[in-house]
């Protein structure tokens, strides 16, 4: 669970949750998988690549974000390039994130709906130097019989920080505000 601009975690499925390397961050935010070592990008997977999931499972991993800038920031978490090799699995798999202190706006999304970039957490205000722990979740919904069996899914994550006083976008899922991939 690392990243400055969160970049890659892969989900694979009985369903398997596999991690694609690299998380990244933009705008002065850094990331950590352990809450101690912060960097602008991470190459370790968020979810254990050996983990297998079944319908009804909710898998949660922690990811820490730190505002490494000298000004207060508003942070969001994007899911990038979400895809699955089975359309039924893509429709059943929901990705989300929440802060452990209940700040920010949660916007979970199904992989089938995610597209190239979708915001899953928005409006987390971090003071300069502050750190917040996120719970990143992958939830596998109902699938009938063998539907989606052995399917895999992949996505990348990116954290983006903008000045806390900047106006919020009119579309809460918009990825256009702030930073590059």
């Amino acid at each position: 669970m690392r990243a400055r601009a969160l970049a890659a975690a892969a989900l694979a499925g009985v369903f398997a949750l596999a991690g694609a390397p690299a998380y990244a961050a933009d705008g002065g935010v850094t990331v950590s998988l352990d809450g101690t070592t912060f960097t602008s990008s991470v190459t370790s997977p968020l979810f254990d690549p050996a983990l297998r999931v079944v319908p009804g499972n909710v898998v949660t991993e922690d990811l820490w974000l730190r505002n490494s800038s000298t000004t207060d920031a508003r942070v969001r978490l994007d899911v990038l390039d979400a895809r699955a090799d089975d359309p039924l699995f893509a429709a059943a798999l929901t990705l989300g994130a929440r802060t452990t202190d209940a700040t920010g706006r949660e916007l979970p999304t199904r992989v089938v709906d995610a597209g190239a970039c979708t915001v899953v957490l928005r409006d987390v205000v971090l003071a300069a130097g502050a750190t917040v722990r996120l719970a990143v979740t992958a939830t596998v919904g109902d699938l009938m019989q063998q539907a989606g069996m052995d399917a895999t899914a992949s996505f990348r994550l990116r954290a983006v920080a903008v000045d806390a006083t900047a106006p919020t976008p009119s579309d809460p899922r918009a990825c256009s505000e702030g930073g590059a991939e």
Side-chain angles (χ1 to χ4, degrees):
M1 303 182 229
R2 317 163 208 238
R4 179 177 189 221
L6 310 176
L11 288 188
V14 190
F15 315 100
L17 294 179
Y23 305 85
D26 293 327
V29 64
T30 54
V31 295
S32 173
L33 294 179
D34 62 11
T36 303
T37 306
F38 286 83
T39 183
S40 62
S41 64
V42 173
T43 58
S44 300
L46 179 62
F47 296 102
D48 181 349
L51 182 64
R52 301 295 183 253
V53 296
V54 297
N57 280 162
V58 177
V59 180
T60 303
E61 292 292 343
D62 290 333
L63 178 67
W64 285 262
L65 304 179
R66 176 178 288 159
N67 179 357
S68 298
S69 74
T70 57
T71 60
D72 294 352
R74 191 177 62 246
V75 179
R76 72 168 198 261
L77 185 66
D78 301 338
V79 169
L80 305 173
D81 304 323
R83 61 181 53 95
D85 60 6
D86 180 287
L88 295 174
F89 185 50
L93 181 62
T94 300
L95 304 173
R98 67 183 185 287
T99 62
T100 57
D101 65 359
T103 61
R105 181 174 175 191
E106 298 174 46
L107 301 163
T109 189
R110 296 181 314 157
V111 168
V112 71
D113 300 325
C117 183
T118 299
V119 176
V120 293
L121 181 65
R122 169 172 294 294
D123 301 331
V124 177
V125 177
L126 278 179
T131 299
V132 66
R133 187 175 76 188
L134 305 182
V136 179
T137 59
T139 304
V140 183
D142 291 335
L143 288 163
M144 302 301 292
Q145 299 178 0
Q146 300 293 317
M149 184 70 95
D150 294 323
T152 61
S154 64
F155 62 91
R156 297 178 304 123
L157 295 173
R158 174 180 63 190
V160 177
V162 296
D163 186 290
T165 61
T168 58
S170 57
D171 178 358
R173 292 203 181 267
C175 289
S176 58
E177 155 201 30
E181 291 181 38

